Amino acid sequence: MPVTRGFQRRRPEPDRGRLPPGQYDTGSSWPVLTAEATPHQPAEEWQLGVDGLVEAPHTWTWSELHAFEGSTYFGDIHCVTTWSKFDMTFTGISVDDLLAVARPTSEAAFVMAHSVTGYTTNLPLADVTGGKAWIVWSVDGKPLPRQHGGPVRLLVPHLYFWKSAKWVSRLELMAEDRPGFWEQNGYHDRGDPWLEQRYQGD
Amino acid sequence: MAPAPLAAWTDGRIIELDHPTPTTVRLRMHVDDRPRHLPGQHYLIRLRAPDDYTAQRSYSLASDSDDPLLEFLVERQPDGEVSEFLADVAEVGDVLELRGPIGRWFVWDTTTPVLCLVGGTGVVPAVAMARTARRLGRPDLVRVAAVGRGPDDLPYARELEKHGAAFAWTRTEADGRPAGAFTRDELEPLLDGVELAFACGSARFASYAEELLLAAGVDAGAIRVERFGPTGG
Ligand SMILES: Cc1cc2nc3c(=O)[nH]c(=O)nc-3n(C[C@H](O)[C@H](O)[C@H](O)COP(=O)(O)OP(=O)(O)OC[C@H]3O[C@@H](n4cnc5c(N)ncnc54)[C@H](O)[C@@H]3O)c2cc1C
C-alpha cells in the first residue's frame, strides 16, 4: 500500500461515523448512473407485482399503491462508485406493507427486484423487511425524476444503491439466491457499504 | 456462469505520460501478471495520502488486451480530487494502486457488429474496441461516431479518423457541416447492420446519445450506456 507521491487529501476530514469506507460526500450533486436507456413510462400506467413464493401473488396500479399508508425514509445513501449523499428524504410505502398482502411462504428467503428495462438485482428477504426497504415515488418532496428511477424505484438505503432498482415493476420471492444484473457482472451479492462489499470476492 | 472473483489491488507503475489535449492526460502503466481484459472494461485507480486517506475513481481502458501496458485517458475536472492529481502531479515512475478489470456489461464481445456513439473522454472505451477490432482484422465490426468540440479537443481524433470514424464537432464548422451534435439523419446510415450500440460520455452526453439512438430506431435492449463524471439531476 504505497503512499502516492504528492497526493494530499482535498476534501475536509469526512465524518467517519456517517461515511462508509472508501466513500466521499458528493454534497449537493446527485450523480446519475444507469447502464440501460432510461424508459419513458407514465405513472398512470405503472404496475408493481409481487409474486414467486407467496401465498397471494398481487399486482398494484399506481393509484392502488398510493392507497397504502405513506412512509418516509430520511437519511443517507451510498453508491458503489464511491459517492455518498447525506440527508435525503424519500417518500412512498414500506415494502413490508406489500409483503403483508402477498404473504411470502416459509421457503421464501431471497427477493429478485425486476425493473421494466429488464434490470434485476437480488436481495436477502431479511434486507427488505422490518422497515428497511421502501417503494418510493418522491424525493425531497418532489416527484422522483425519471433518470433517478421515476415514477417508482425500490429503496434499500442500508445497501449500495445499485440494489435500489430504478423503475421497479416486480418483486419475485425465491428460495435460493440468484445473481441479478450487476451481480452477474462482477458485483457483490449483498453490497453492504460498511463492510465494503463492492465486488464478488470482497 | 459464476462470476470470477475480481483481482485484488495491485501496484501499477506509470511508464509513459503525456497531455494529448490541454485538459487531458494519457497514462500508460505497467502491472505485473495482469489478467486479460475485454474492450470496454475499466480499472479503479486509488491514491493514498500520507495520513492514509484514500480516493479511488473508475477509468476506462483505451488499450487492447495485447498491449503490454494499460492505457488510460483522464480529463482534468476543475477541483477534481483524482483527475487533477493525475493531470498535474503524476509523473513517469510513480506507483499507483490499481484494481481491475471491472465491468462485464459495457464490453464488446469481439464478434458482434456495434456502433459506439461517444462524446469527449467517452471515446476511451471506443478506442479500446476499435484497437481490438483492428488487431483481430475486423475493423468493420466497430463503428465509431464521436462528438467533440473540435478536432483538437477530442482525444484520439486522429486515430479514430484512420479507423473511419464519423465526427460531429459542436463548436467547429467542418467541410460545410455546421457545428452541432449528430442529427438523427446523420446517425441512421451508421446503424446499418449494427446489433448493439454503446453510448459513453458525461451524464449529459449519455442522455443525449441514448435519446438519439432510440429516436433512430435502436431497440432499448440493444443500448448500453456508460456515464462518466459527477453531474446529474
Ligand atoms: C465506469 C467509469 C469509467 C470512467 N472512465 C473515465 C475515463 O476513461 N476518463 C475520465 O476522464 N473519466 C472517467 N470516468 C469518470 C471518473 O471516474 C471521475 O468521476 C472523474 O475523473 C472525476 O473525478 P475527480 O476525483 O477528479 O473529481 P471529484 O473529486 O469526484 O469531483 C468532481 C467534481 O465534483 C466536485 N466535488 C466532488 N466532491 C466534492 C466535495 N466533497 N466537495 C466539493 N466538491 C466536490 C468537484 O468540485 C469537481 O468539480 C469514468 C467513470 C466511470 C463510472
Side-chain angles (χ1 to χ4, degrees):
Chain A
M1 289 195 282
V3 167
T4 313
R5 182 196 60 79
F7 177 63
Q8 291 282 338
R9 166 202 300 283
R10 290 283 289 275
R11 314 283 180 229
E13 174 79 52
D15 181 349
R16 278 291 150 205
R18 271 183 103 170
L19 209 53
Q23 298 290 112
Y24 73 96
D25 174 5
T26 182
S28 58
S29 82
W30 185 6
V32 177
L33 288 164
T34 314
E36 327 100 297
T38 305
H40 292 266
Q41 186 99 353
E44 309 74 55
E45 290 169 24
W46 201 263
Q47 298 212 325
L48 179 71
V50 175
D51 58 26
L53 294 177
V54 294
E55 287 170 20
H58 200 93
T59 301
W60 292 268
T61 65
W62 173 252
S63 56
E64 285 164 351
L65 286 177
H66 284 70
F68 285 98
E69 188 181 340
S71 177
T72 293
Y73 168 75
F74 175 77
D76 307 339
I77 58 175
H78 311 289
C79 176
V80 70
T81 63
T82 74
W83 56 265
S84 291
K85 196 162 165 53
F86 293 159
D87 298 333
M88 304 285 288
T89 306
F90 288 96
T91 317
I93 57 169
S94 170
V95 170
D96 291 315
D97 289 343
L98 300 178
L99 295 178
V101 175
R103 298 197 304 278
T105 66
S106 56
E107 297 95 73
F110 295 92
V111 177
M112 186 72 85
H114 298 259
S115 94
V116 291
T117 63
Y119 177 87
T120 52
T121 189
N122 53 316
L123 300 126
L125 182 58
D127 274 317
V128 299
T129 51
K132 292 197 284 296
W134 289 259
I135 297 290
V136 297
W137 45 75
S138 109
V139 59
D140 296 335
K142 296 189 207 80
L144 188 65
R146 199 163 64 90
Q147 74 267 29
H148 287 302
V152 174
R153 84 180 294 161
L154 181 64
L155 177 71
V156 192
H158 70 289
L159 299 179
Y160 283 127
F161 220 47
W162 90 81
K163 294 287 179 181
S164 294
K166 294 178 178 181
W167 315 298
V168 68
S169 58
R170 182 177 165 221
L171 299 178
E172 177 194 2
L173 282 282
M174 316 182 293
E176 311 273 341
D177 200 9
R178 204 167 81 211
F181 171 81
W182 285 123
E183 295 81 9
Q184 287 169 31
N185 286 288
Y187 284 76
H188 198 274
D189 274 315
R190 177 138 186 276
D192 184 334
W194 297 96
L195 302 176
E196 218 176 346
Q197 294 169 332
R198 296 179 194 274
Y199 306 104
Q200 296 284 338
D202 279 350
Chain B
M1 175 195 71
L6 185 79
W9 291 97
T10 56
D11 291 347
R13 181 177 297 274
I14 303 176
I15 307 295
E16 296 169 34
L17 180 151
D18 59 12
H19 294 89
T21 72
T23 62
T24 60
V25 60
R26 191 173 64 112
L27 304 167
R28 295 195 24 96
M29 300 184 65
H30 170 80
V31 172
D32 287 334
D33 304 323
R34 70 184 157 80
R36 288 187 72 78
H37 65 266
L38 279 169
Q41 288 192 298
H42 65 275
Y43 266 66
L44 297 172
I45 298 185
R46 182 162 76 180
L47 310 179
R48 185 176 293 275
D51 64 357
D52 231 28
Y53 168 80
T54 59
Q56 66 186 51
R57 299 286 184 274
S58 308
Y59 293 100
S60 297
L61 291 166
S63 40
D64 170 39
S65 208
D66 268 15
D67 190 327
L69 300 178
L70 295 176
E71 181 170 321
F72 302 99
L73 189 286
V74 176
E75 178 167 27
R76 180 201 290 113
Q77 304 291 338
D79 199 29
E81 189 168 38
V82 175
S83 64
E84 268 199 359
F85 172 87
L86 295 172
D88 300 344
V89 183
E91 287 174 3
V92 167
D94 285 348
V95 173
L96 310 176
E97 290 173 275
L98 296 180
R99 190 181 187 194
I102 299 173
R104 302 203 190 118
W105 173 249
F106 197 88
V107 290
W108 179 50
D109 64 4
T110 74
T111 57
T112 304
V114 298
L115 172 77
C116 303
L117 177 55
V118 292
T121 39
V123 298
V124 176
V127 168
M129 293 181 197
R131 288 179 177 178
T132 304
R134 287 202 300 277
R135 168 171 59 84
L136 298 172
R138 291 298 308 274
D140 54 302
L141 289 176
V142 175
R143 216 170 279 168
V144 180
V147 181
R149 269 186 279 201
D152 299 332
D153 274 313
L154 187 76
Y156 302 106
R158 253 159 237 119
E159 179 177 343
L160 290 173
E161 192 179 0
K162 283 197 206 119
H163 183 77
F167 296 99
W169 308 120
T170 57
R171 305 277 171 86
T172 315
E173 198 189 296
D175 304 326
R177 183 190 183 279
F182 285 109
T183 62
R184 200 176 131 177
D185 287 347
E186 289 174 306
L187 194 67
E188 268 165 0
L190 302 176
L191 288 165
D192 198 32
V194 159
E195 288 174 30
L196 202 57
F198 294 99
C200 183
S202 65
R204 217 174 114 226
F205 177 83
S207 304
Y208 145 83
E210 160 193 317
E211 293 298 332
L212 187 63
L213 289 165
L214 290 171
V218 181
D219 186 68
I223 301 175
R224 298 193 178 181
V225 188
E226 187 131 284
R227 289 162 204 262
F228 289 2
T231 49

